[in-house]
């Protein structure tokens, strides 16, 4: 499989709405993808991730900026000459062709001999786990199967880059999980460079080598899944990637590799530096960075306990709002609803974020 | 960015070179023609100067001259000397003459808005120069030729610039070419003829005048035609809407017997040839009609307003019916049920629920029929008698009096009400706020008419259908009657004779319709594809232009084609092309609207997927789009074919001895009282049209499963 690098340089896309107002769907973004990498564009709806993907595919022309595939600027190249394949949210299968004809369509466009094309179709159907489906009409398949055909159709032409536009959003939860694993397996098997658009952070976390998190047409953070989850650069990233609580702190001293901060009357040594300079900082803590502890600085009252078997979720009212702490079983039977507790945090996995 | 700058520089350089080359070629051609014309003029001048001056005006009335004998006598038919003296080579010309040489000036002079060549010629007698003669030969022809050459070069240059700029700058040249060609076709064959028609009504021999309009808007006969058109339109529209509503109401709201048959019969007038109902009305109620003369022996005949109303209503109430069925079906009949449960009487339910809800639909179908009625040409031509309507008056002006300008003005006058009614109707249907569409249609019909009323109403429906059947069977009867009105003996000779005499018209028409059919189908699907899927400047304009033929009466389109395409740069009158183009353009809106509706049902990502897999737009269109919108494609083709086979109003201006239309053949036969022959051709047309529809129905049905699988 070809190994292709992709570079997005200062891309901007401006749309005009019906009142002729300019809308910056994508606002001057840049990022790079190394060969064989699986990158996810993640963000809430309207953040410009799909527009970015469509610009890479060639369906939209950037208002400004360049897109390099293997160091060639493709902005002036139409989609049908770009050697990029896309898997669509609504599959985009050709309803008047059989599964085999659907998959062979791209091969036909590349003038590949019929025998060889049939061989390739068989091979790719084996990879996506739908052997012997050649003659079926697409409408007779289930949603998951249709999505696999769409994937096979994209893969069979051995494109430079494979694009996914929220491919799992039309499937039910169980199927989604299966297909997620399947996509990851196939991508690794063929070793293709892939870009995946989604608003589902679980998909992003499980699939990606790299996550590009976007908001309002701008990139908020680029990093591998652990970085983006554990070290959010701002409150938006922190909240988008999962449950997080913020505590206002005072930065006392910034050392070489660690920072001294004060929360109420307690001084913590945080083993990282603030990401950006700011007037005020907060400490971002995921639930796993919080614990119930008799000498914690934060006081609260247990409001609800949700028993989940192997663990329980404690919802505690504090001066910083409601905080959720997960406690593994077996847990302290003395902690019941209505009791006052103290909360401490784990400084090793807390993160200093500009307020 | 540098790449782009390079492209712009390259483009400008090539464009400049192309311009210079074309300019040089144009100049060479002009010089060459000018030399030729001057030579001709000079040759003419030799013979002119040999003629006695007294005979000059008689032999060459168009030549202006000035003669000065050396003995002081001057002769001239126009004061031209002052103008000629202003020529820079005047002195040189005189000098030449003194040496007994002819000389033609390098420049032309302008007298009374006309250009002339100036020839200085000696008048000799016995090899001695007696005087000077200055001849002015009209140069209009050469100037006309120059103008044509200029237009052609301008067009060539524009095409070159368009093609070259697209291939340099566009990343999707095929779509760009398709868009430009579409624009060019639409502008050339819709807007340009209309513009020429309007221009003709304001121009006479090159100057602006409002004379034509003054005549048209003041002469009693013309105004009468206009008010007649409006009167006829109003009456037909009202009657058709009432009958259409009655039929639609009975079909959607009651369970009366023979529903299926009735709705089939009602579709017939929509596709049958325009003269067929008229013909059978004449056969039955004409001055020698079976019923009026043979059975009742009345002194009354059908020609005139009353006959026209009957003919048009029978032909057009199906339009109202189809509109009203759509409206009534979308009104949930549970509303009526609810009203009845609340204790309202049947009449009250009808008056307070059904009628108000269908009011926009009623108005809309009234306007549709109104447009059709006043644009109608076939019925008034044959049945009008002394009752003149605008479309026929315009036709008579053109074909009878050869007054194209008045014909154009009259048919433009017709555009006013048709356009108003058409766009008003569009506006109403675009505001669907009145229609209630519920997710759960109740299959049950709540009968809101009492049984006795239902009986009365269904009898009316049956009577109208029976009348319709009677009209159609009259045509078939007419085929086998020796001499309608006089001798009713059975014969087959009509069929033989009609086939002999009508063969050419039938073959011509079928050929023209068959050529127009696929072109119209593909062209309208391409336009639909461009409109729905592509982004380009001027899209709104293109949509508007494509829709325009909907509201243009055929008479106007026909007249404007004759005006626009009987002169350079596009000379088409008398060819098959002009008829075919006319067929295509007239039915374009229907095809495009069908294609647009079909395309909007299709998920765009299907086409994007194909592009993505390496298919350029033209391949996407042929392998994905066209198969997916096949039903719309086929119905656009069949519609064009049928309408072409049954065309009258526009084609009547465009036919020639070489290319004839069967509708006109039918008209000619019945004008000459050859009713048998007319019947045979009408019946044949009905059979052809019905079988084409039948075949296509089968084809479309086979692709119906497709539509269901497309999201």
């Amino acid at each position: 499989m070809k190994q292709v690098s992709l570079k997005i340089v200062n891309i901007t896309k401006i749309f005009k709405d019906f009142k002729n107002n300019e809308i910056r769907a994508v606002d001057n973004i840049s990022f790079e993808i190394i060969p064989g990498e699986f990158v996810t564009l993640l963000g809430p709806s309207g953040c410009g991730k799909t527009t970015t993907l469509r610009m890479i595919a060639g369906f939209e022309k950037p208002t400004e900026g360049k897109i390099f595939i293997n160091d060639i600027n493709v902005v002036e190249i139409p989609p049908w000459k770009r050697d990029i394949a896309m898997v669509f949210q609504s599959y985009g299968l050709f309803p008047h062709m059989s599964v085999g004809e659907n998959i062979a369509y791209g091969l036909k466009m590349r003038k590949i001999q019929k025998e060889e094309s049939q061989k390739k179709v068989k091979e790719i159907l084996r990879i996506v786990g739908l052997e012997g489906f050649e003659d079926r009409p697409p409408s007779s398949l289930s949603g998951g199967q249709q999505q696999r055909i769409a994937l096979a159709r994209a893969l069979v032409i051995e494109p430079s880059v494979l694009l996914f536009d929220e491919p799992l959003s039309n499937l039910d939860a169980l199927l989604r999980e299966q297909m997620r694993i399947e996509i990851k397996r196939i991508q690794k098997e063929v070793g293709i460079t892939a870009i995946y658009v989604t608003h589902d952070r679980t998909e992003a976390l499980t699939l990606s080598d790299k996550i590009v998190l976007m908001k309002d047409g701008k990139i908020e953070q680029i990093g591998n899944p652990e970085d983006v989850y554990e070290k959010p650069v701002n409150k938006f990233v922190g909240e988008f990637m999962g449950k997080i609580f913020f505590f206002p702190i005072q930065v006392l001293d910034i050392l070489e590799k660690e920072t001294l901060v004060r929360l109420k009357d307690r001084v913590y040594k945080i083993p990282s530096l603030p990401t950006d300079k700011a007037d005020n900082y907060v400490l971002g803590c995921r639930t796993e960075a919080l614990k119930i502890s008799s000498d914690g600085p934060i006081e609260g009252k247990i409001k609800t306990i949700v028993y989940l078997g192997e663990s329980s979720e404690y919802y505690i009212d504090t001066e910083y709002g409601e905080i959720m702490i997960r406690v593994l079983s077996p847990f302290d039977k003395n902690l019941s609803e209505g009791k006052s507790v103290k909360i401490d945090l784990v400084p090793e996995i807390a993160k200093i974020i500009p307020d | 960015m540098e790449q782009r700058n390079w492209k712009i520089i390259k483009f400008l350089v090539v464009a400049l070179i192309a311009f210079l080359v074309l300019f040089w070629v144009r100049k060479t051609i002009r010089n060459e023609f000018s030399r030729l014309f001057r030579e001709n003029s000079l040759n003419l001048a030799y013979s002119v100067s040999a003629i006695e001056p007294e005979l000059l005006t008689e032999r060459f009335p168009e030549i202006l001259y000035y003669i000065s004998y050396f003995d002081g006598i001057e002769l001239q038919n126009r004061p031209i000397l002052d103008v000629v003296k202003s020529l820079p080579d005047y002195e040189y010309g005189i000098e030449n003459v003194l040496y007994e040489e002819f000389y033609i000036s390098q420049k032309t002079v302008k007298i009374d808005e006309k250009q002339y060549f100036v020839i200085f010629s000696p008048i000799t007698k016995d090899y001695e120069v007696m005087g000077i003669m200055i001849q002015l030969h009209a140069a209009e022809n050469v100037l006309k030729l120059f103008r044509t050459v200029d237009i052609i070069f301008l067009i060539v240059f524009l095409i070159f610039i368009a093609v070259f700029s697209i291939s340099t700058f566009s990343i999707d040249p095929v779509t760009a070419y398709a868009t430009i060609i579409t624009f060019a076709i639409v502008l050339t064959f819709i807007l340009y003829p209309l513009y020429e028609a309007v221009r003709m009504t304001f121009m006479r021999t090159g100057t602006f005048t409002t004379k034509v309009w003054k005549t048209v808007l003041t002469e009693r006969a013309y105004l009468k035609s206009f008010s007649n058109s409006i009167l006829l339109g109003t009456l037909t529209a009202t009657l058709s809407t009432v009958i259409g509503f009655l039929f639609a109401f009975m079909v959607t709201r009651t369970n009366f017997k023979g529903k299926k048959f009735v709705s089939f019969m009602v579709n017939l007038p929509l596709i049958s040839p325009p003269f067929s109902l008229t013909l059978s009305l004449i056969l039955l109620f004409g001055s020698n009609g079976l019923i009026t003369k043979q059975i009742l022996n009345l002194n009354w005949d059908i020609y005139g307003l009353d006959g026209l109303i009957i003919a048009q209503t029978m032909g057009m109430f199906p339009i109202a019916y189809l509109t009203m069925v759509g409206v009534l079906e979308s009104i949930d009949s549970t509303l009526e049920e609810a009203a009845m449960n609340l204790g309202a009487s049947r009449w009250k339910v009808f008056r307070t629920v059904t009628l108000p809800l269908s009011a926009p639909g009623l108005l809309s179908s009234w306007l549709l029929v109104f447009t059709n009625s006043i644009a109608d040409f076939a019925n008034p031509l044959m049945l009008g008698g002394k009752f003149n309507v605008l479309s026929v008056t315009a036709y008579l002006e053109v074909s009878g009096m050869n007054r194209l300008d008045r014909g154009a003005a009259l048919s433009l006058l017709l555009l006013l009400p048709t356009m108003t009614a058409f766009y008003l109707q569009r506006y109403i249907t675009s505001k669907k706020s009145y229609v209630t569409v519920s997710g759960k249609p109740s299959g049950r019909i709540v009968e809101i008419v009492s049984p006795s009323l239902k009986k009365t109403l269904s009898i009316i429906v049956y009577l109208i259908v029976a009348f319709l059947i009677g009209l159609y069977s009259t045509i078939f009867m007419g085929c086998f009657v020796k001499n309608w009105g006089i001798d009713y003996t059975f014969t087959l000779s009509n069929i033989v004779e009609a086939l002999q005499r009508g063969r050419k018209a039938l073959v011509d028409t079928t050929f023209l319709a068959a050529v127009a059919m696929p072109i119209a189908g593909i062209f309208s699907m391409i336009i639909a594809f461009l409109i729905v899927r592509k982004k380009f400047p001027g899209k709104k304009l293109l949509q508007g232009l494509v829709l325009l033929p909907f509201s243009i009466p055929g008479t106007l389109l026909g007249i404007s084609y004759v005006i626009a395409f009987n002169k350079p740069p596009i000379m088409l009158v008398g060819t098959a092309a002009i008829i075919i183009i006319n067929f295509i353009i007239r039915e374009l809106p229907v095809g495009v609207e069908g294609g647009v509706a079909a395309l909007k049902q299709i998920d765009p990502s299907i086409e994007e997927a194909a592009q993505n897999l390496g298919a350029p737009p033209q391949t996407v269109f042929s392998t994905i789009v066209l198969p997916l919108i096949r039903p719309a494609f086929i119905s656009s083709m069949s519609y064009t074919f049928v309408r072409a086979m049954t065309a009258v109003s526009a084609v009547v201006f465009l036919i020639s001895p070489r290319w004839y239309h069967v509708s006109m053949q039918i008209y000619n036969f019945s004008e000459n009282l050859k009713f048998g022959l007319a019947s045979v051709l009408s019946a044949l047309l009905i059979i052809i049209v019905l079988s084409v529809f039948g075949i296509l129905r089968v084809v479309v049905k086979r692709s119906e499963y497709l539509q269901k699988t497309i999201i």
Side-chain angles (χ1 to χ4, degrees), chain B residues 521-538:
Chain B
I522 289 176
F523 189 45
S524 48
M525 293 308 117
I526 289 176
I527 295 179
F529 181 56
L530 290 176
I531 287 176
V532 178
R533 291 288 196 254
K534 299 290 173 187
K535 281 182 235 163
F536 54 88

Side-chain angles (χ1 to χ4, degrees), chain A residues 54 57 59-60 75-80 84-86 88 90 92-97 105-106 109-110 139 153-154 157, chain B residues 4 169 171-172 535 603 605-606 608-617 619-620 623-624 627-628 706 709-711:
Chain A
R54 290 174 62 79
F59 298 134
E60 305 285 353
V75 165
E76 296 287 333
I77 297 176
W80 52 95
I84 291 175
M86 184 152 157
F88 292 85
S90 52
L93 294 177
F94 311 134
H96 58 302
M97 296 181 190
Y105 189 84
M109 291 303 133
R110 282 162 180 72
S139 55
R153 187 178 65 177
I157 59 168
Chain B
R4 202 171 167 78
F169 296 115
I171 59 169
D172 181 3
K535 281 182 235 163
D603 182 358
S605 64
I606 294 175
E608 284 175 352
Q611 275 192 14
N612 206 244
L613 293 167
T619 316
V620 173
T623 61
I624 308 290
L628 289 183
L706 245 183
T709 60
I710 300 163
I711 312 150

Side-chain angles (χ1 to χ4, degrees), chain B residues 523-525 527-528 531 546 587-597 636:
Chain B
F523 189 45
S524 48
M525 293 308 117
I527 295 179
I531 287 176
V546 167
E587 310 318 328
L588 205 55
V590 179
V592 171
E593 292 224 312
V596 165
S636 154

Side-chain angles (χ1 to χ4, degrees), chain B residues 87-120:
Chain B
L87 284 170
D89 51 358
Y90 171 74
E91 303 283 341
Y92 186 69
I94 301 291
E95 229 170 87
N96 265 289
V97 171
L98 296 178
Y99 287 107
E100 226 178 307
E101 292 283 331
F102 282 73
Y103 176 75
I104 179 159
S105 169
Q106 294 305 308
K107 291 240 152 67
T108 55
V109 294
K110 196 174 187 183
I111 289 168
D112 290 347
E113 302 294 315
K114 279 184 184 160
Q115 296 286 342
Y116 291 91
F117 290 123
V118 182
I119 300 114
F120 298 89

Side-chain angles (χ1 to χ4, degrees), chain B residues 467-517:
Chain B
F467 183 51
L468 208 54
I469 295 170
L471 289 179
Y472 280 106
S473 24
T474 308
I475 301 172
F476 285 91
M477 258 156 57
C479 299
F480 303 104
V481 168
K482 198 160 197 177
N483 196 348
W484 194 279
I486 298 157
D487 182 0
Y488 285 94
T489 47
F490 177 85
T491 174
L492 288 175
S493 61
N494 284 333
I495 296 172
V496 180
E497 197 185 340
L499 284 180
Q500 270 169 1
R501 293 177 58 179
R503 216 191 92 201
K504 183 183 153 40
L506 256 178
V507 171
D508 279 2
T509 312
T510 315
F511 170 78
L512 295 169
V515 173
M517 175 169 82

Side-chain angles (χ1 to χ4, degrees), chain A residues 122-182:
Chain A
K122 271 210 162 66
E123 169 66 14
I124 205 74
L125 277 173
R126 188 192 60 75
I127 291 181
V128 300
L130 288 172
E131 278 167 296
F133 274 63
E134 284 96 328
D135 296 328
R136 302 265 292 267
S139 55
S140 71
L141 306 184
S142 71
Q145 288 171 327
Q146 290 190 18
Q147 193 55 277
R148 278 180 218 215
I149 299 300
L151 182 59
R153 187 178 65 177
L155 279 172
V156 78
I157 59 168
E158 300 178 15
S160 304
V161 183
L162 186 56
L163 308 179
F164 294 93
D165 183 15
E166 310 212 13
L168 305 183
S169 59
N170 282 342
L171 303 178
D172 62 50
L174 194 66
L175 211 52
R176 200 148 46 200
E177 204 166 315
Q178 279 176 11
M179 278 302 289
R180 214 157 61 202
I181 298 163
E182 196 82 328

Side-chain angles (χ1 to χ4, degrees), chain B residues 46-209:
Chain B
Y46 294 142
S47 32
V48 170
S49 68
I51 293 169
E52 293 297 319
E54 302 83 63
L55 296 173
L56 257 178
T57 325
E58 190 188 317
R59 295 275 301 273
F60 297 101
E62 71 280 8
I63 289 178
L64 309 185
Y65 63 88
Y66 165 83
I67 298 171
S68 168
Y69 293 104
F70 293 147
D71 55 14
I73 298 171
E74 286 184 44
L75 289 171
Q76 63 177 23
N77 60 351
R78 279 283 189 90
I80 55 171
L81 192 60
D82 286 343
V83 186
V84 173
K85 267 187 179 159
S86 67
L87 284 170
D89 51 358
Y90 171 74
E91 303 283 341
Y92 186 69
I94 301 291
E95 229 170 87
N96 265 289
V97 171
L98 296 178
Y99 287 107
E100 226 178 307
E101 292 283 331
F102 282 73
Y103 176 75
I104 179 159
S105 169
Q106 294 305 308
K107 291 240 152 67
T108 55
V109 294
K110 196 174 187 183
I111 289 168
D112 290 347
E113 302 294 315
K114 279 184 184 160
Q115 296 286 342
Y116 291 91
F117 290 123
V118 182
I119 300 114
F120 298 89
S121 50
I123 297 174
T124 52
K125 202 169 195 183
D126 305 329
Y127 307 104
E128 210 171 300
V129 184
M130 305 286 296
I132 295 172
M133 179 184 191
I134 297 171
Q135 306 177 21
L136 265 55
H137 296 178
E140 282 302 297
N141 282 336
V142 65
L143 288 175
K144 233 185 225 168
L145 194 75
F146 283 176
R147 220 173 296 140
T148 313
V149 169
D150 281 353
I151 290 173
I152 289 171
F153 273 93
L154 191 69
I155 291 170
V156 168
F157 184 67
L158 286 179
I159 290 174
F160 175 81
I161 290 292
V163 169
F164 188 66
S165 63
I166 286 169
S167 62
T168 314
F169 296 115
S170 177
I171 59 169
D172 181 3
V174 176
T175 305
Y177 289 137
T179 313
I180 290 211
I181 291 170
T182 305
F183 258 111
I185 291 175
V186 167
L187 287 175
T188 315
F189 294 111
I190 299 177
L191 215 54
Y192 169 66
L194 286 180
Y195 162 76
E196 283 293 324
V198 173
R199 207 175 75 106
M200 174 166 255
T201 60
F202 284 114
M203 296 298 249
R204 174 159 292 173
T205 57
T207 47
F208 178 86
T209 166

